[in-house]
């Protein structure tokens, strides 16, 4: 979406030129995106830990019971869903920085409990506490980045957040590939033969293949160290944020105008009395007043919880509003039910199904998957505003569908004999990587971008809260059921996810609008209402009332300006 912005961003400046002109903002956003790194790391770290024999010896039920394994993975996701919902009021009451640093404290506590866990209760408790923090961070970090950046580079910073998540996954994969050797062996007890599995493919049984003194080979540190190391970037984020300014928007919401101006001056590295800074300050103030005006006029007499409920009910009160919300939620639903996080959480198990024997080989293949995942996200940076959202989504859906059908067919045809057919196994592994490529440039990043572009300015924060809760809840369901699916229906798991890839292709073809180069007023035509036109007029009137010259009526509000609250209720 393009055109001159309400925040004064010159439309003819390239994104990377604007990044060079705002190095402080870019550096601050890179630092803040450590929150995304923590989420990605915590996503990836669990996949390798689940395959480590020293972990299995300590917690055999998680290793042997696929349903219990699903709950171990999904406890974090369920609490993350809750954390993303409760952090909005916290951020409005205590500030973006305060909310972020509180989340860091909670995350450090949860990670420490996981790293030192001696019982199932401690381990699940640590996952729950860390999950609460992860949900808070994935909500507040994009919100903070959106509020402190300029409109012209806001989209690039959103992609930076997505990239930091994939980097977190990548680092966790390769870190575990190294830590599995702590103790001198990847086996719990090298001198004790495996008793599990079959005669042709023996596997580790933590109830029988452990000596009287526990693991004599692989050390407990192999899985405790990866859990403990995530404390370091969390502490860096928490301590570092103390030296960065609070969001000017938050100060204006709290009627602290001098602090807002001072914070904006620090962010833009200019004097508080400069004309350009004063103009941008008034633009932010106009947006804050706009939110208050909408709440007062649309929901007279309502405050607190009643206002909160009324604002959410309005999202489904008309057919056009419902259609906007349905499209946003369905895109996020398909993002999860296409199987992306099933691959991330259980990658070593999946590669084991495809014939890779031994934890070392499967963890190595998982590390390569992390590299592919990270690199495949980059094309979206260059293509999303050139070819559009719909073509990328449809190509990605088609590519993932074909890949998963082939993987399912290979596993279904060869089953447990795959180790004896290495060519078929490697073909399946190749198509897992091809699946990852197709998902990473399409639904992975666009799943977050597109919903924010179809909601009006007045409803965006509340609507994004619902779409975000949709993705968290779907993420929870996928993490919970995938282990049982892999164990009971095997190849059918891939066909299950392939079916949703096909449904995503059909849904995108018929219901998802193209938002590239389109204003919010253009979305009114698509959804059959005039909400954005009415909001534009209201915003212009408020801007004029505080002495700010609004853009000409013929000009469109820049998409990034309309996205000033894009991530206000969280992402991913």
């Amino acid at each position: 979406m393009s055109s001159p912005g309400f925040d004064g961003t010159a439309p003819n400046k390239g994104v990377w030129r604007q990044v060079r002109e705002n190095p402080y903002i870019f550096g601050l956003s890179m630092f803040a995106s450590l929150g995304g790194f923590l989420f990605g790391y915590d996503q990836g770290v669990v996949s390798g830990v689940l395959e480590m024999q020293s972990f299995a010896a300590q917690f055999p039920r998680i290793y042997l019971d696929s349903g219990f394994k699903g709950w171990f993975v999904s406890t974090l996701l369920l609490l993350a869903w809750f954390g993303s919902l409760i952090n909005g009021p916290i951020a409005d009451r205590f500030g973006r920085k305060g909310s972020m640093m509180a989340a860091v404290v909670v995350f450090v506590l949860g990670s420490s409990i996981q790293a030192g866990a001696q019982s199932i209760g401690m381990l699940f408790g640590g996952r729950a506490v860390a999950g609460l923090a992860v949900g808070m961070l994935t909500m507040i970090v994009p919100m903070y980045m959106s509020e402190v950046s300029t409109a012209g580079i806001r989209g690039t910073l959103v992609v930076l957040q997505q990239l930091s998540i994939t980097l977190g996954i990548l680092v966790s994969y390769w870190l575990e590939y190294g830590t599995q050797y702590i103790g001198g062996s990847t086996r719990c007890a090298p001198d004790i033969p495996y008793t599990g599995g079959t005669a042709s493919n023996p596997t580790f049984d933590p109830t029988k293949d452990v000596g009287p003194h526990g693991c004599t080979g692989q050390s407990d540190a192999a899985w405790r160290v990866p859990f403990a190391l995530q404390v370091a970037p969390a502490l860096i984020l928490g301590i570092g944020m103390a030296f960065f300014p609070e969001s000017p928007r938050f100060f204006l919401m709290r009627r602290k105008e001098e602090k807002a101006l001072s914070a904006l001056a620090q962010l833009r590295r200019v004097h508080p009395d400069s004309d350009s800074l004063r103009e941008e300050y008034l633009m932010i103030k106009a947006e804050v007043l706009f939110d208050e005006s909408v709440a007062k006029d649309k929901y007279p007499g309502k405050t607190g919880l009643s206002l909160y409920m009324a604002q959410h009910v309005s999202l489904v009160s008309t057919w056009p509003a419902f259609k906007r919300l349905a499209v946003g939620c369905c895109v996020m639903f398909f993002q999860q039910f296409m199987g992306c996080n099933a691959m991330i959480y259980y990658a070593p198990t999946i590669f084991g199904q495809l014939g890779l024997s031994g934890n070392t080989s499967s963890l190595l293949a998982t590390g390569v998957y992390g590299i592919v995942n990270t690199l495949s996200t980059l094309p979206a940076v260059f293509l999303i505003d050139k070819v559009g959202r719909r073509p990328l989504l449809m190509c990605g859906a088609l590519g993932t569908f074909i890949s998963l059908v082939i993987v399912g067919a290979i596993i279904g045809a060869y089953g447990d004999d795959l180790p004896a057919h290495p060519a078929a196994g490697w073909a399946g592994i190749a198509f897992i990587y091809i699946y990852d490529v197709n998902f990473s440039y399409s639904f992975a990043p666009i799943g977050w971008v597109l919903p924010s572009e179809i909601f009006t300015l007045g409803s965006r924060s509340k609507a994004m809260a619902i779409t975000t809760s949709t993705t968290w809840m779907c993420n929870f369901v996928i993490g919970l059921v995938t282990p049982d699916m892999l164990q009971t229906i095997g190849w059918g798991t891939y066909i299950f996810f392939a079916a949703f890839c096909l449904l995503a292709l059909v849904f995108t073809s018929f219901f998802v609008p193209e938002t590239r180069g389109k204003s919010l007023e253009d979305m009114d035509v698509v959804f059959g209402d005039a909400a954005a036109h009415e909001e534009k007029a209201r915003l212009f009137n408020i801007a004029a009332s505080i002495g700010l010259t609004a853009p000409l009526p013929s000009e469109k509000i820049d998409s990034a300006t309309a996205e000033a609250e894009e991530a206000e209720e969280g992402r991913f």
Side-chain angles (χ1 to χ4, degrees), residues 159-451:
V159 175
L160 177 67
Q161 169 75 358
Q162 174 66 25
L163 187 61
S164 71
I165 293 173
T166 63
L167 284 173
I169 296 171
L170 175 63
V171 169
S172 70
Y173 281 167
W174 285 102
L175 180 69
E176 287 176 320
Y177 180 72
T179 62
Q180 68 173 325
Y181 293 100
I182 296 178
S185 174
T186 60
R187 294 184 57 165
C188 172
D191 298 330
I192 300 177
Y194 291 156
T195 60
T198 62
S200 60
N201 185 29
T203 57
F204 176 68
D205 184 340
T207 62
K208 299 177 181 178
D209 303 341
V210 182
H213 302 293
C215 289
T216 56
Q218 188 181 67
S219 168
D220 276 359
W223 62 269
R224 294 188 189 276
V225 167
F227 277 137
L229 285 180
Q230 60 189 339
V231 170
L235 290 175
I236 293 172
L237 173 62
I239 295 172
M241 284 307 301
F243 299 95
F244 287 113
E246 177 60 88
S247 162
R249 182 183 181 88
F250 168 74
F251 280 136
L252 283 169
M253 291 170 62
R254 307 297 295 180
R255 299 291 190 273
K256 299 178 180 179
E257 299 198 8
E258 288 301 320
K259 288 186 176 181
L261 188 61
S262 175
L264 188 61
Q266 183 179 350
L267 288 166
R268 301 296 179 259
R269 319 302 286 174
V270 297
H271 194 276
D273 293 332
S274 67
D275 292 339
S276 62
L277 188 78
R278 289 282 177 174
E279 184 178 7
E280 184 178 0
Y281 167 79
L282 290 177
M283 291 170 187
I284 298 172
K285 184 176 181 179
E287 290 178 357
V288 172
L289 293 174
F290 168 83
D291 290 340
E292 295 174 352
S293 172
V294 169
K296 180 180 179 181
D297 293 348
K298 286 191 175 182
Y299 317 104
K302 294 185 180 296
T303 57
L305 182 60
S306 62
L307 174 61
Y308 179 83
M309 296 300 297
Q311 289 173 326
H312 281 80
V313 169
S314 69
L315 297 174
V316 293
S317 60
T318 65
W319 179 240
F322 174 78
K323 285 196 294 184
R324 291 179 193 260
L325 186 64
V327 169
C329 288
C330 284
V331 168
M332 301 303 263
F333 168 84
F334 284 120
Q335 186 193 60
Q336 296 303 316
F337 271 78
M338 290 169 72
C340 63
N341 282 321
M343 303 294 175
I344 291 172
Y345 298 139
Y346 305 109
T349 302
I350 290 169
F351 287 123
Q353 279 191 339
L354 288 165
L356 285 183
S357 59
N359 288 347
T360 300
S361 296
S362 60
L363 285 177
L364 178 60
T366 300
V368 175
Y369 185 92
I371 295 175
V372 174
N373 185 38
T374 302
L375 295 180
S376 301
T377 304
L378 296 177
V381 179
F382 306 102
L383 296 177
I384 190 170
D385 285 322
K386 291 185 178 180
V387 303
R389 282 64 163 157
R390 278 171 51 86
L392 290 177
L393 289 175
M394 288 190 287
C395 287
L398 181 61
T400 53
F401 168 72
I402 294 173
S403 300
L404 290 178
V405 166
I406 292 174
V407 172
I410 290 173
I411 294 177
Y414 294 96
D416 293 336
D417 292 332
L418 261 173
H421 300 85
W426 282 112
I429 291 170
F431 276 99
I432 288 290
Y433 292 145
I434 293 172
Y435 161 87
D436 188 28
V437 170
N438 281 279
F439 182 81
S440 295
Y441 72 71
S442 58
F443 274 83
I446 299 175
W448 296 108
V449 173
L450 191 138

Side-chain angles (χ1 to χ4, degrees), residues 131-165:
L132 184 68
V134 165
M136 294 173 69
L137 286 171
T138 55
M139 174 264 167
I140 193 60
V141 170
M143 178 181 177
Y144 178 77
M145 290 168 65
S146 175
E147 292 185 357
V148 302
S149 67
T150 59
I153 63 173
R154 191 170 292 132
T156 300
L157 299 185
V158 169
V159 175
L160 177 67
Q161 169 75 358
Q162 174 66 25
L163 187 61
S164 71
I165 293 173

